Amino acid sequence: MISNPSTPLRWHSFEAPPATETLALIICEAGSLPHARSFAAHWASLVPGCAFAGLETNLAYRQIAFAPVRELVEHETKRLGLDPLQIVLIGFGMAGQRALDLALCNVLGNVSAIIVDLPPDGVVVGLPPAQGAFRFVQHHRDADPDGRFFEELIHTLRRSAIDIRTMILPVGVGATDRAIQTFLVELVARASRYHAVERSGHGVSSRAGDRA
């Protein structure tokens, strides 16, 4: 376990294959680490070559200092020999909002993200020309019964030519798990292609039309 003394951040490494090509980083509230560890164990066999880690943080406050997060994640990803385009953030609820904030504010570079059940009071905090991809799994919620907030947010993101896919689901564990797995396999494969291109020395185009 590695912690940053200036903020309530803790990094936990879960699964790490011998030849790591990508990292799935699960954002979680302090105290919910066992759930994140369980998800990692459940998904690891689907994505060989993908390391899993958990980032514990305080989700009670929307405004946080981004610098300590950047420093901690950069330290750990460099240790794995990875680039931001090889990172997939995963978050549920407020942790999903935190993942979206980190990605859209370009705090960690061009990461991708899987966001499950974004809260209806969330806001888009930045709109960079992101190379990362965003995948949303959303359920019908009492707080946003007609899905208006979610539709408006997705519309805003798409206006910025960000790579987005969504799945709107009824409440149910099985469908949710399958949706997350589908997006995880897709984004890890995308990040692995980047890894292969980097190793070949040809680089990666940043044009929107070249994104997978």
Side-chain angles (χ1 to χ4, degrees), residues 69-101:
V69 179
R70 181 188 299 113
E71 291 170 6
L72 180 58
V73 175
E74 285 183 351
H75 172 80
E76 289 299 306
T77 52
K78 284 180 180 178
R79 185 178 60 82
L80 293 169
L82 301 178
D83 180 274
L85 279 170
Q86 294 164 266
I87 301 173
V88 178
L89 302 178
I90 303 172
F92 296 73
M94 285 304 300
Q97 180 66 63
R98 180 62 49 81
L100 186 63
D101 291 346

Side-chain angles (χ1 to χ4, degrees), residues 180-200:
I180 296 170
Q181 289 181 20
T182 296
F183 285 152
L184 180 63
V185 169
E186 177 204 357
L187 294 186
V188 167
R190 183 182 189 274
S192 295
R193 289 197 297 273
Y194 173 80
H195 174 77
V197 171
E198 281 293 289
R199 289 187 63 185
S200 72

